[in-house]
């Protein structure tokens, strides 16, 4: 089943009490402003940009944290689609080989601008070490505008992968290398990895799931047991880097 | 001042004609009729003609013609082989030849021949007798060309076939080398020579091929595609060193061959307000460092494959540079009608 994200704007309120339901559209850019405005990288989601004060800051580490299937990849791909539409170069370090190029393409990302580094044939113990070294090389080279380090362990849910902790000094080294550079470093992980080295941390949590029953299912009177996933709502909280605010994003899945 | 003369050789086997012509002169031109033209000096023309007469293919001598212009020499070789036409006899010699043979030497459109036939012009003599100004009035630039070649003159200067330039540096070592450090010194010297050669021709390279001769008759062959065309020897040396470090040769090396694939350099006009561009040399170094860290198969760009499976993809190398211009042999410039 293919998935697509649709963005719908509804009534918006003030920052502290507003809950904005947004639906992200695949391949369509609603934010007509330039992606890099001053030192921010637009996420492609207007409400999220407003919450962040313009977008993800460049020259620092930004974290997207949350458990599995909470919308991290959806938000990330919307951001990358926006970035590629502005002809930015992206380096994607896929540690545990979780990137789906097909989903990336239908999300609007121009794959020719996405440099994909994966460690498919590497043993597990080497993956993390090599991925951090790659991140270090890329941040120092200044050849890419966006660097994504995907530590998501969706397909590799082993205890070894979960308990492996990255020493703090790695993050501070990357932070120092990013200083005063126009590079957005985005870290995708279950929980906070970069700690104080990250300037912005967004927490994503699935708040509600929407189901629908098909005609075939209702005919068989099996609606109580079998339903199709229509979409889900994700609550995005700004845990670090601003006022502790939150918005809701609706991710719609289409078959 | 002595003017050179031209000999044209014709044989249905074009390669044979070419080989014979190259044995007499390093500069040869191939006409669209298949005749091979080469210049000779007045002093040696007689000797060369006699030697050509002795060459026989299936007991049949080669067709050749000697004249002061290429047009006349080719017509002589095709229609009256063995003729040696002096400069004064040129226009008289070709008068009786049919107009089709003359037009076949150059790229004239069929409409020209039809027009001339309609006017009642069947041979070159009749064409030469037409008044020049009126011919130009009626046919324009083509008329000027026709008038010129009807006198037996050439339309375009002699254009010899030029072989594509290869940028290859080879070095055979007096003793075998195992150590990478010593090999690096050698690479540095060879790359400097290669880059200077590229610079003198105003070219860049987008791929570096390395071939090392190893003990036991084996060869170590690798190619390094560059993300950006360049001719910086220091950058190429670091890329080469990283490549060798990642996949080391198995045996000691006694021979080194480096080849650079040439590419025309482009002049880019950047505006002052444009965002910062990728630095090509640094980018190539970054890629090679990543190659060394993981492997080439673990990085690239995902490209969708057009099949019935919508999620099929393949991985290709990441390059910002698109499109290649191949260097060809010298152009065949003919008057366009």
């Amino acid at each position: 089943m293919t998935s697509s994200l649709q963005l719908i704007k509804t009534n918006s309120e003030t920052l502290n009490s507003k809950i904005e339901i947004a639906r992200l559209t695949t391949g369509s850019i609603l934010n007509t402003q330039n992606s890099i405005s001053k030192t921010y990288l637009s996420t492609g989601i207007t409400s999220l940009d407003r919450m962040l004060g313009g977008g993800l800051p460049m020259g620092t580490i930004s974290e997207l944290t949350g458990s599995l299937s909470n919308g991290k990849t959806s938000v990330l791909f919307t951001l990358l689609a926006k970035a590629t539409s502005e002809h930015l170069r992206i380096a994607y370090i896929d540690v545990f080989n979780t990137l789906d190029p097909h989903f990336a393409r239908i999300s609007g990302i121009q794959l020719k601008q996405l440099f994909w580094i994966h460690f498919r044939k590497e043993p597990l113990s080497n993956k993390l070490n090599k991925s951090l070294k790659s991140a270090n090389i890329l941040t120092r080279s200044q050849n890419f505008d966006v660097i994504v380090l995907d530590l998501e362990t969706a397909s590799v849910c082993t205890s070894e992968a979960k308990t492996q902790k990255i020493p703090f000094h790695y993050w501070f080294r990357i932070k120092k290398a990013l200083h005063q550079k126009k590079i957005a470093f985005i870290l995708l992980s279950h929980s906070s990895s970069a700690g104080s080295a990250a300037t912005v941390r967004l927490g994503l949590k699935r708040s509600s799931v929407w189901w629908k029953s098909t005609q075939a299912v209702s005919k068989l009177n099996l609606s109580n047991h079998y339903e199709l996933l229509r979409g889900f709502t994700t609550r995005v909280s700004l845990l670090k880097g601003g006022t502790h605010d939150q918005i809701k994003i609706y991710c719609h899945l289409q078959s | 001042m002595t003017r050179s003369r031209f000999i044209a050789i014709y044989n249905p086997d074009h390669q044979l004609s070419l080989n014979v012509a190259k044995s007499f002169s390093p500069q040869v031109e191939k006409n669209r009729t298949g005749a091979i033209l080469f210049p000779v000096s007045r002093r040696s023309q007689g000797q060369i003609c006699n030697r050509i007469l002795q060459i026989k293919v299936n007991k049949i001598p080669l067709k050749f013609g000697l004249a002061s212009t290429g047009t006349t020499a080719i017509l002589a070789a095709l229609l009256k082989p063995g003729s040696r036409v002096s400069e004064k006899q040129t226009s008289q010699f070709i008068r009786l030849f049919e107009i089709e043979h003359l037009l076949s030497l150059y790229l004239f459109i069929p409409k020209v021949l039809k027009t001339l036939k309609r006017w009642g012009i069947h041979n070159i003599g009749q064409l030469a007798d037409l008044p020049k100004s009126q011919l130009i009035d009626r046919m324009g630039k083509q008329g000027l060309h026709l008038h010129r070649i009807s006198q037996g003159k050439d339309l375009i200067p002699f254009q010899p076939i030029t072989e594509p330039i290869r940028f290859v540096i080879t070095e055979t070592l007096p003793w075998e080398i195992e150590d990478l450090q010593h090999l690096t010194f050698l690479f540095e010297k060879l790359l400097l020579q290669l880059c200077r050669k590229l610079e003198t021709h105003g070219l860049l390279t987008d791929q570096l091929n390395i071939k090392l001769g190893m003990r036991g008759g084996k060869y170590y062959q690798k190619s390094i595609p560059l993300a950006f065309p360049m001719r910086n020897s220091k950058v190429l040396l670091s890329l080469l060193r990283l490549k060798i470090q990642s996949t080391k040769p198995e045996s000691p090396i006694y021979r080194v061959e480096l080849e650079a694939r040439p590419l025309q350099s482009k002049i880019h006009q950047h505006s002052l307000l444009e965002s910062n561009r990728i630095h090509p040399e640094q980018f190539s170094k970054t890629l090679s460092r990543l190659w060394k860290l993981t492997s080439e198969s673990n990085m690239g760009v995902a490209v969708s494959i057009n099949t019935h499976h919508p999620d099929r993809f393949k991985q290709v190398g990441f390059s910002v540079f698109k499109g290649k211009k191949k260097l060809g042999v010298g152009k065949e410039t003919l008057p366009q009608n």
Side-chain angles (χ1 to χ4, degrees):
Chain A
M1 177 167 59
T2 60
S3 62
S4 65
L5 309 172
Q6 292 177 316
L7 179 67
I8 297 177
K9 256 189 181 177
T10 58
N11 300 324
S12 57
E13 300 166 28
T14 56
L15 272 177
N16 288 327
S17 60
K18 280 180 194 178
I19 294 176
E20 194 173 272
I21 298 175
R23 205 170 75 180
L24 308 163
T25 46
T26 306
S28 71
I29 308 301
L30 299 181
N31 192 355
T32 55
Q33 288 177 0
N34 194 2
S35 214
I36 303 177
S37 173
K38 291 183 184 178
T39 55
Y40 292 98
L41 176 68
S42 171
T43 60
I45 307 167
T46 315
S47 52
L48 188 56
D49 283 344
R50 201 183 302 134
M51 186 172 78
L52 292 167
L56 293 177
M58 305 285 271
T60 57
I61 300 173
S62 304
E63 265 193 294
L64 291 176
T65 59
S67 309
L68 299 174
S69 304
N70 274 282
K72 293 194 301 298
T73 308
S74 305
V75 170
L76 176 71
F77 278 12
T78 310
L79 185 150
L80 296 182
K82 170 74 175 166
T84 54
S85 72
E86 298 284 336
H87 306 291
L88 300 179
R89 294 175 298 271
I90 299 163
Y92 195 104
I93 306 170
D94 191 6
V95 183
F96 296 107
N97 198 29
T98 53
L99 175 69
D100 181 7
H102 176 61
F103 178 50
R105 186 177 58 84
I106 60 173
S107 298
I109 298 171
Q110 292 177 29
L111 294 177
K112 61 183 177 183
Q113 283 166 243
L114 184 82
F115 181 53
W116 183 21
I117 306 169
H118 54 85
F119 305 94
R120 200 173 293 162
K121 296 170 188 175
E122 300 282 343
L124 195 61
S125 53
N126 281 350
K127 281 180 196 280
L128 210 53
N129 194 23
K130 289 198 174 183
S131 62
L132 290 168
K133 284 183 181 175
S134 305
N136 203 18
I137 290 169
L138 289 166
T139 47
R140 287 175 194 284
S141 68
Q142 297 185 63
N143 292 128
F144 292 93
D145 304 298
V146 182
I147 299 169
V148 178
L149 179 58
D150 187 357
L151 296 176
E152 183 65 58
T153 56
S155 59
V156 186
C157 293
T158 62
S159 56
E160 188 182 343
K162 282 180 181 174
T163 56
Q164 229 173 0
K165 282 192 177 177
I166 301 165
F168 250 12
H169 65 85
Y170 273 113
W171 303 117
F172 282 104
R173 202 183 294 167
I174 290 174
K175 185 184 176 182
K176 196 180 174 185
L178 286 168
H179 182 60
Q180 288 186 346
K181 285 180 189 165
K182 271 197 172 181
I183 302 172
F185 192 97
I186 302 166
L187 179 61
L188 221 66
S189 59
H190 269 288
S191 56
S192 173
S193 302
S196 53
T199 308
V200 167
R201 186 175 301 118
L202 294 170
L204 285 86
K205 193 174 180 183
R206 194 175 58 240
S207 59
S208 50
V209 181
W210 306 88
W211 302 92
K212 71 175 178 182
S213 56
T214 60
Q215 204 175 12
V217 170
S218 61
K219 271 185 182 175
L220 295 169
N221 293 320
L222 295 172
S223 57
N224 292 331
H225 303 281
Y226 300 100
E227 284 182 325
L228 292 176
L229 179 66
R230 195 173 65 181
F232 57 90
T233 308
T234 293
R235 192 188 298 271
V236 183
S237 309
L238 183 60
L239 302 173
K240 189 185 177 185
T243 56
H244 289 267
D245 202 359
Q246 59 185 12
I247 61 164
K248 270 189 180 176
I249 295 173
Y250 175 58
C251 301
H252 180 77
L253 294 112
Q254 280 182 350
S255 58
Chain B
M1 183 180 76
T2 54
R3 290 183 186 175
S4 61
R5 307 256 284 161
F6 291 96
I7 290 180
I9 296 175
Y10 178 77
N11 189 275
D13 184 1
H14 299 317
Q15 192 58 41
L16 175 73
S17 312
L18 192 65
N19 293 339
V20 168
K22 279 188 175 177
S23 65
F24 292 114
S25 169
Q27 291 184 319
V28 295
E29 180 188 329
K30 190 175 178 183
N31 187 261
R32 57 195 305 270
T33 57
I36 306 297
L37 194 66
F38 61 94
V40 291
S41 64
R42 287 176 185 275
R43 200 174 282 186
S44 60
Q45 62 183 7
Q47 195 181 7
I48 292 172
C49 287
N50 292 335
R51 281 168 66 185
I52 292 172
L53 274 171
Q54 290 168 10
I55 298 169
K56 289 184 182 177
V57 179
N58 297 330
K59 296 183 184 177
I60 301 168
L62 274 180
K63 292 183 182 177
F64 81 96
L66 171 70
S68 57
T69 61
T71 305
T72 315
I74 293 170
L75 283 171
L78 290 173
L79 303 170
K80 221 173 181 182
S83 304
R84 304 184 194 195
V85 186
S86 64
E87 196 172 343
K88 291 177 185 176
Q89 294 170 341
T90 301
S91 52
Q92 203 63 33
F93 175 77
I94 61 174
R95 277 188 74 86
L96 297 174
F97 293 148
E98 286 181 8
I99 195 76
E100 288 92 342
H101 298 299
L102 183 65
L103 297 185
S104 66
L105 298 186
Y106 300 99
L107 201 64
F108 283 100
I109 55 175
K111 194 181 170 185
V112 170
L113 183 64
K114 278 184 190 173
T115 309
L116 291 173
K117 290 281 185 188
R118 200 171 65 242
W119 291 349
I121 307 293
H122 298 287
N123 58 41
I124 298 172
Q126 288 173 336
L127 178 63
D129 292 338
L130 291 175
K132 181 181 175 182
S133 55
Q134 291 184 32
L135 191 61
I136 293 169
D137 285 341
R138 282 162 177 76
M139 299 190 84
K141 203 173 178 180
Q142 291 174 62
L144 180 63
H145 292 322
L146 285 170
H147 180 80
R148 192 176 167 82
I149 58 174
S150 64
Q151 314 294 322
K153 295 177 185 175
D154 291 328
L155 259 183
I156 51 173
F158 178 73
Q159 288 182 326
I161 298 170
T162 51
E163 296 292 332
I165 308 164
R166 281 193 73 202
F167 293 88
V168 184
I169 302 274
T170 311
E171 177 114 355
T172 307
L173 307 171
W175 54 80
E176 291 168 345
I177 292 180
E178 279 187 63
D179 191 10
L180 182 62
Q181 195 179 0
H182 296 132
L183 209 57
T184 308
F185 283 123
L186 183 63
F187 285 153
E188 193 178 354
K189 182 187 102 176
L190 296 178
L191 281 172
L192 201 63
Q193 290 174 21
L194 202 58
C195 292
R196 274 188 193 153
K197 196 175 175 185
L198 284 166
E199 199 175 356
T200 52
H201 287 87
L203 299 167
L204 301 173
T205 180
D206 68 336
Q207 185 168 303
L208 193 65
N209 300 324
I210 174 169
K211 189 177 176 183
L212 303 175
M214 298 191 291
R215 188 196 291 173
K218 295 178 190 174
Y219 285 98
Y220 172 94
Q221 283 182 317
K222 294 283 174 191
S223 68
I224 304 170
L226 304 173
F228 262 90
M230 64 177 79
R231 58 171 180 237
N232 189 325
S233 60
K234 285 183 184 173
V235 177
L236 291 174
L237 178 65
S238 56
L239 295 177
L240 196 55
R241 197 169 51 221
L242 288 166
K243 188 76 178 179
I244 298 282
Q245 277 173 354
S246 59
T247 49
K248 289 182 184 174
E250 299 161 353
S251 313
I253 294 148
Y254 71 92
R255 191 169 177 272
V256 175
E257 183 182 301
L258 293 176
E259 183 182 2
R261 190 164 70 182
L263 206 68
Q264 293 278 8
S265 59
K266 287 184 181 179
I267 299 168
H268 295 279
Q269 185 77 33
H270 298 304
S271 79
L272 291 173
L273 302 176
E274 236 172 29
S275 60
N276 58 330
R277 291 269 166 186
I278 201 167
H279 197 264
E281 291 155 6
Q282 201 177 16
F283 183 66
S284 305
K285 274 187 186 172
T286 305
L287 283 183
S288 55
R289 282 193 189 118
L290 290 169
W291 283 338
K292 194 192 167 191
L293 183 65
T294 164
S295 68
E296 282 183 58
S297 59
N298 278 349
M299 58 184 66
V301 169
V303 173
S304 299
I305 300 174
N306 188 14
T307 65
H308 58 283
H309 288 290
D311 55 349
R312 279 282 174 88
F313 67 93
K314 65 177 178 181
Q315 190 176 293
V316 298
F318 184 82
S319 175
V320 183
F321 176 71
K322 282 175 190 173
K324 293 171 190 171
K325 251 192 178 178
K326 285 187 182 175
L327 291 181
V329 188
K331 281 185 196 172
E332 187 185 18
T333 52
L334 292 163
Q336 298 299 318
N337 303 309

